[in-house]
Amino acid sequence: MGTASDKKLFDENGLRLDGRSPGDLRPIRIETDVLNRADGSAFIEWGGNKIQVAVYGPREAYPRHMQNINQAFVRARYNMAAFSVDERKRPGPDRRSMEISKVISEALQAAVMVELFPRAQIDVFIEVLQADAGTRIAGLTASAVALAAAGVPMRDLVVGCTAGKVDGKVVLDLSKEEDNFGQADLPVAVMPKSGKVVLMQMDGDLSIDEFNEATSMIFKATERINQIQRDALKKNYASTAQDWGE
Amino acid sequence: MGTASDKKLFDENGLRLDGRSPGDLRPIRIETDVLNRADGSAFIEWGGNKIQVAVYGPREAYPRHMQNINQAFVRARYNMAAFSVDERKRPGPDRRSMEISKVISEALQAAVMVELFPRAQIDVFIEVLQADAGTRIAGLTASAVALAAAGVPMRDLVVGCTAGKVDGKVVLDLSKEEDNFGQADLPVAVMPKSGKVVLMQMDGDLSIDEFNEATSMIFKATERINQIQRDALKKNYASTAQDWGE
Amino acid sequence: MGTASDKKLFDENGLRLDGRSPGDLRPIRIETDVLNRADGSAFIEWGGNKIQVAVYGPREAYPRHMQNINQAFVRARYNMAAFSVDERKRPGPDRRSMEISKVISEALQAAVMVELFPRAQIDVFIEVLQADAGTRIAGLTASAVALAAAGVPMRDLVVGCTAGKVDGKVVLDLSKEEDNFGQADLPVAVMPKSGKVVLMQMDGDLSIDEFNEATSMIFKATERINQIQRDALKKNYASTAQDWGE
Amino acid sequence: MPRDELDVMSEIKRNYILQKIRKDGIRADGRKLDEMRKVVIQTNFIPRASGSAVVTLGRTKVVCGIKIEAGEPFPDTPNQGVLTTNVELLPMAFPTFEAGPPSEDSIEIARVVDRGIRESKMIDLQKLVVEPAKQVWIVFIDIDVIDYDGNLIDACTIAAVSALATAVVPASTIGQKDFPLPITCRPASVTMLKIDNVVVVDPDLEEEQIASARLTVTMAEDGHLKAMQKGEPGFFTLEEIQKAIKTSSDVGSQIRNNYPK
Amino acid sequence: MPRDELDVMSEIKRNYILQKIRKDGIRADGRKLDEMRKVVIQTNFIPRASGSAVVTLGRTKVVCGIKIEAGEPFPDTPNQGVLTTNVELLPMAFPTFEAGPPSEDSIEIARVVDRGIRESKMIDLQKLVVEPAKQVWIVFIDIDVIDYDGNLIDACTIAAVSALATAVVPASTIGQKDFPLPITCRPASVTMLKIDNVVVVDPDLEEEQIASARLTVTMAEDGHLKAMQKGEPGFFTLEEIQKAIKTSSDVGSQIRNNYPK
Amino acid sequence: MPRDELDVMSEIKRNYILQKIRKDGIRADGRKLDEMRKVVIQTNFIPRASGSAVVTLGRTKVVCGIKIEAGEPFPDTPNQGVLTTNVELLPMAFPTFEAGPPSEDSIEIARVVDRGIRESKMIDLQKLVVEPAKQVWIVFIDIDVIDYDGNLIDACTIAAVSALATAVVPASTIGQKDFPLPITCRPASVTMLKIDNVVVVDPDLEEEQIASARLTVTMAEDGHLKAMQKGEPGFFTLEEIQKAIKTSSDVGSQIRNNYPK
């Protein structure tokens, strides 16, 4: 977690620097089918995060020796644009982005009906255009929408959210400054129908009680975020229906 | 193009630093079949440029998925020796040499009768041993000779030449200093029988009139350079005939 | 060889800094089958060197085009742990370790009955955990033991030893300081039954007489080292027999 | 340029496109030979960057972000800032684009875009010196291709020029005052393809798949040539090139009208 | 985690393991569900390193060496030392491990180990400053995996913590006095796997091959969570996670008892 | 060493070479066992380099260019210049040579050539110091192999020694006077192959393809050994090596006669 600092992260009314209460989410907007070439796509704005996701597949897995005769595999590639962060980032994967790609792939693998597509792979490309804390969770949330928009059969969507500890208090959906100067970070993703946890990482310092408080905040928030996902997909289906009607 | 400078590039008689008139070429010498292992080879000296070219093929394209069932592809690899430039160059391709390899490959592809060799590749290796402005054009000119020397069937040779703008005047075949301090650079390659342009790049600043003056200079020069190519090949055929006669 | 220096490398009694006479070896200890997963393994301590070796194979050579229809090939990979040397070493092969891998592979290839395993490869992984001069020779000596422990049929073991020149005197088995400040280094490996030389490298300055003195020292030493190899293997066979007896 | 996934386009489609061009002088999507697709430019899309633009050119879409950072000049140009251009053909943009080190295609695109901007002297690099030979401003142009339907060179040039035209040098990071990136002109590249013996402007992917040769001409307001690049294994006659230069002058002016003021 | 060479385990073996766990609550090797394998720690194995440990965890074996070198701090943390963790899955450890750049697996292991040590503040990085913003101590944790039979995260954490706990800062190299690496606590990671609906501790390779999901929980003496990582494509319920945290608290204390004093 | 394209040589050819050597003590091209092929050395071929040489050894051809640049010494040798040797097995030289990072073969060749030059102390590195610990001359030896017909080690050594012997340190670039690279001796490497039980000098490619073992011996004028390298999977007896050293002493003198004065 972040560096220690004297930075005040709450005002006198207990509100956060951006005016949110501890349990508030930043604004989230999801749009689907924004790209033409991909089989499915979604664009998410979550606070200052701007993330483009595209899905290709199911398609034959390549190279051949990667094929699994029982099921498809989901291969997410999380990438940060060179201009997405304060200091220009050299293109190409680093260790952080490789780890994130792995945990996102595993989380999506749990939700996709991979058993329907033996020998196939499903590619999920996540491009972070502007980063503002919580990119993995925002990218994963958008990925689930893009998969659905691509018509990939899923058991459920996947919804991610982060909680953390700031100045000793548990808060939802860390902002960039809270991420930099906070004491704990807990990104979680669930399948919202069942509450099954498909991604969980944590670093910093949390007592067991704080952990329970944080997860309870996250679970509540995922319901709201899932609604935003479903609305985005509905709008998409609506416009598809309209297209047909013409 | 080069850096602005107060450097004088013409003398009081309108001659260039190396004594040439605006429309003069530097000395060019081409020798063929200088290597034993390659299927064909040519060595070119063009001003201070010293460039070795070798051709292998047509041979089965590898890897397999590169094979085109209708025709061969020409793959030129332009490379600069570590000692070819003022400051020692780290071995291996850089972005500049990759672009040059691409445009040379495309220029040669236009001249070779690729339709005669489905699934094949023809490799052209261009090693710049000493660089002195105009290496891409010199390397391409030598490549055409090496292909012919290898017995690769061609519609026509390919001849390259450069024009540029120096102190506001259009001149032929830029020298190293003119390249460094000039205002425009226009490398062109043609198939000399038909005048078809198979390579053209330009950077700097040229008015339309200057462009027309430059191309007209280049077209005239390519006739002379083509003659040097044909002489080199004739000498080669002559010595081959002699070999047979023995 | 090392840098010139005023460092004294012998005491008044003609003994070396670590108390050895010119013809003495450092202590050597070899243990076999210290790893569970590998087909065979050996761990060697030789002076301050600590080197772990593991053998996998014979197994089908991969990629396919590496397969030799007449025989197996031995592929040794010599690698230094990041913490094995004074200044932390970046992981991955460098030019030195690639050369050492090559000469060790060739030396082992001579001893293994490769003709029994067409299309196969035998991998020998050598990990230098602590380096203390003579790692290639110690790694090779342990590799032969690991191959035998893996049940790979061999014409003979391979035994390595180094001699060198220090303060103008020929000495056996250079220590780290002698290696750094000495005048010549001569690593040699032989098949001990026949005395055939399968590895020899040399750098520094040796007269022909010094060379002959050095090789004669080495040949005598390899008998002693070979005994240590055989003892290690006997202990291993003994414990295997015991296992069967239970 | 990349082919479609199976590296084939149906004979029927190919013939349809060719015939339409030959007989009617009209392209498959109804455009005239020298007609650009619709261009939409949205600047300041990435507020955290020094400048940015999202550009759609028909169904091709690219995002350009500019980062401007203080750093050392090149030893041979101590009195000017540094410019560097990079294009990423993201795998999300097309089925055969692959992650990894830049391909020949992406390098060619980046270098042609870079030459247009550099040679037109769009950015006044002399004004980007903090302390000669010690510290200058480095301008990173990074372009993400996120949707690919042909003519990346022009889409990337439009995005880069638009992002640069609205960029701000973050001089406050070194204790000075931020100032707009000093801009002298607005270059426009125009890419043309030769299909059969006809030259078309702003090709889409299907046209790229049947074309024999490509020519890009970059000009600035002064009507001078700043950069040219012939690509693909076909050829142009000198007359075709001269005509293409004329076309690019006209079309370039239209593009320039779309640029942010 | 890597599968076995043929990526298959016999149905018979698979069923045997599963049934034993389901029916008897006992694992194939006789362990209870929350029972670690035998841990053997040998420190100071590499005397030339600043600290070192060889750890066997059942039949898994790793070697950790610590190098501590003077160097520059990161610009944004001028007042603390630097910590870096690297894990090498050596090809000698398993038939399918390959030489070359780090795999996704080795990166994940290294990052989870690193987070446990970093977030527990085990090393007092503030005490590793020679001159603020100029010179600090850089602690390199390098771990060689030489024999693989499951649960590398815990084996590597144990090795790293043990090696650090016995490490010495070689300050004499810069004319000062050597001193023990300043240590504040001893974190322990506990990795659990979900097989069927049962969670087991310290899985061996065969268990990894049939498990659906993995969870690692790292705590220090204060009983607080310092790092967590869920892995593999399966899921956990929140209840399972809460129970796993409880388990890891107990098992972590046992591990801590094994650490060098 | 690389095999021919199909990795096979016809049995007939193989037998012919072997029989000729066994029965007549003569090689397929008529040479005696200890006879070098014709050596042609052309120095100053690359006038822009600090030194250069093109060498043909039979039908093997290599180009060596020396660059000498001011730079920093290694920390542990503050009082001497730096020497570095690189060999490129260019794809133009042989059908199976590939572009890309250096192969094991090219690294071995470069390192054996380097050792011969370094250990003979041919270059007086102590005279290449501008300011101790700050600035020294770095000597880059780069060798392009452009035509391959066996025995690259000797061809490259001859090229490197010839280029160095005629090289000039460009001290005028730092405001001093150019001076000839300080040379103390002229090492010569002699590479021998064992075919059957016969040892031949300066093997061509066909001989390399049927040989079992290789030995390179590098000596200087003082008749001392400076570097040795045994290669390939065969063996030598100690007697064979002693005889080879004798041979290399004689042949090395012949090579030295060819070096530029």
Side-chain angles (χ1 to χ4, degrees), chain E residues 36-89:
Chain E
M36 298 275 297
R37 289 172 292 178
K38 194 181 166 198
V39 181
V40 180
I41 302 172
Q42 182 187 353
T43 52
N44 204 25
F45 184 71
I46 311 291
R48 292 228 167 125
S50 308
S52 60
V54 182
V55 167
T56 56
L57 178 59
R59 308 208 298 178
T60 287
K61 188 171 188 175
V62 306
V63 183
C64 175
I66 311 290
K67 285 281 174 188
I68 305 179
E69 301 181 357
E72 281 180 44
F74 287 117
D76 52 340
T77 52
N79 289 305
Q80 53 180 63
V82 172
L83 172 65
T84 162
T85 306
N86 185 52
V87 170
E88 295 282 313
L89 301 182

Side-chain angles (χ1 to χ4, degrees), chain A residues 16 18-28 46-47 137 159-163 171-174 217-218 220-226 228:
Chain A
R16 298 149 75 179
D18 52 10
R20 286 186 288 154
S21 298
D24 283 356
L25 286 167
R26 293 174 290 177
I28 300 172
W46 181 322
I137 257 5
V159 194
C161 190
T162 297
V171 299
L172 190 70
D173 188 20
L174 297 182
M217 265 187 179
I218 289 170
K220 252 176 259 158
T222 54
E223 288 171 34
R224 280 177 278 159
I225 303 164
N226 181 230
I228 297 169

Side-chain angles (χ1 to χ4, degrees), chain A residues 1 3 95-96 98-99 101-103 106 109-110 195-208 211-212 215 219, chain E residues 77 85-86 102 104-105 107-108 110-111 115 119 219 222 224-233 235-236 238 241-242 245:
Chain A
M1 278 310 294
T3 342
R95 292 169 66 93
R96 175 181 168 274
M98 283 179 74
E99 187 194 358
S101 295
K102 185 172 193 286
V103 294
E106 291 167 348
Q109 180 89 13
K196 289 170 178 171
V197 176
V198 291
L199 181 148
M200 175 174 281
Q201 298 184 286
M202 181 258 159
D203 63 298
D205 177 279
L206 282 182
S207 69
I208 310 287
F211 174 80
N212 290 333
T215 46
F219 269 70
Chain E
T77 52
T85 306
N86 185 52
E104 270 194 348
D105 284 332
I107 288 173
E108 185 186 23
R111 287 177 64 85
R115 281 202 287 269
E119 301 299 342
M219 293 189 184
D222 62 4
H224 281 203
L225 297 160
K226 305 301 182 182
M228 294 177 71
Q229 180 90 344
K230 181 259 162 187
E232 300 301 311
F235 66 88
F236 287 96
L238 188 52
I241 292 170
Q242 286 162 336
I245 290 175

Side-chain angles (χ1 to χ4, degrees), chain E residues 136-240:
Chain E
V136 300
W137 293 105
I138 302 173
V139 180
F140 294 98
I141 303 175
D142 282 288
I143 305 172
D144 267 12
V145 174
I146 63 174
D147 211 356
Y148 171 47
D149 190 33
N151 197 9
L152 290 177
I153 294 176
D154 293 354
C156 290
T157 299
I158 295 170
V161 171
S162 301
L164 289 169
T166 54
V168 169
V169 178
S172 53
T173 56
I174 58 164
Q176 304 183 352
K177 242 183 85 177
D178 290 355
F179 59 95
L181 186 67
I183 298 300
T184 70
C185 66
R186 285 170 167 77
S189 74
V190 177
T191 294
M192 292 153 283
L193 278 193
K194 184 166 163 186
I195 297 175
D196 244 21
N197 287 310
V198 177
V199 172
V200 303
V201 160
D202 179 29
D204 65 18
L205 177 60
E206 286 181 353
E207 290 172 335
E208 286 185 353
Q209 285 172 353
I210 59 174
S212 65
R214 187 190 71 224
L215 185 70
T216 300
V217 178
T218 307
M219 293 189 184
E221 287 89 339
D222 62 4
H224 281 203
L225 297 160
K226 305 301 182 182
M228 294 177 71
Q229 180 90 344
K230 181 259 162 187
E232 300 301 311
F235 66 88
F236 287 96
T237 63
L238 188 52
E239 293 67 41
E240 286 169 339

Side-chain angles (χ1 to χ4, degrees), chain C residues 74 76 78 96-110 126 136-137 140 158 187 189 198-201, chain F residues 104 108 112 115 214 228-234:
Chain C
V74 178
Y78 167 100
R96 174 181 168 276
S97 65
M98 283 179 75
E99 187 195 356
I100 293 178
S101 296
K102 186 172 192 285
V103 294
I104 290 181
S105 298
E106 290 167 349
L108 294 172
Q109 180 88 14
I126 302 167
R136 84 189 62 187
I137 254 11
L140 176 53
V158 175
V198 291
L199 180 148
M200 176 173 281
Q201 297 184 287
Chain F
E104 269 194 348
E108 185 186 24
V112 174
R115 280 202 286 270
R214 186 189 73 224
M228 295 177 71
Q229 180 89 344
K230 182 258 164 188
E232 301 301 313

Side-chain angles (χ1 to χ4, degrees), chain F residues 7 42 199 205 255:
Chain F
D7 206 356
Q42 183 186 353
V199 172
L205 177 60
I255 293 175

Side-chain angles (χ1 to χ4, degrees), chain B residues 87-102:
Chain B
E87 194 176 340
R88 192 233 179 202
K89 193 194 162 297
R90 280 170 68 100
D94 54 19
R95 292 169 66 94
R96 174 181 168 275
S97 65
M98 283 178 75
E99 187 194 358
I100 293 178
S101 295
K102 186 172 193 286

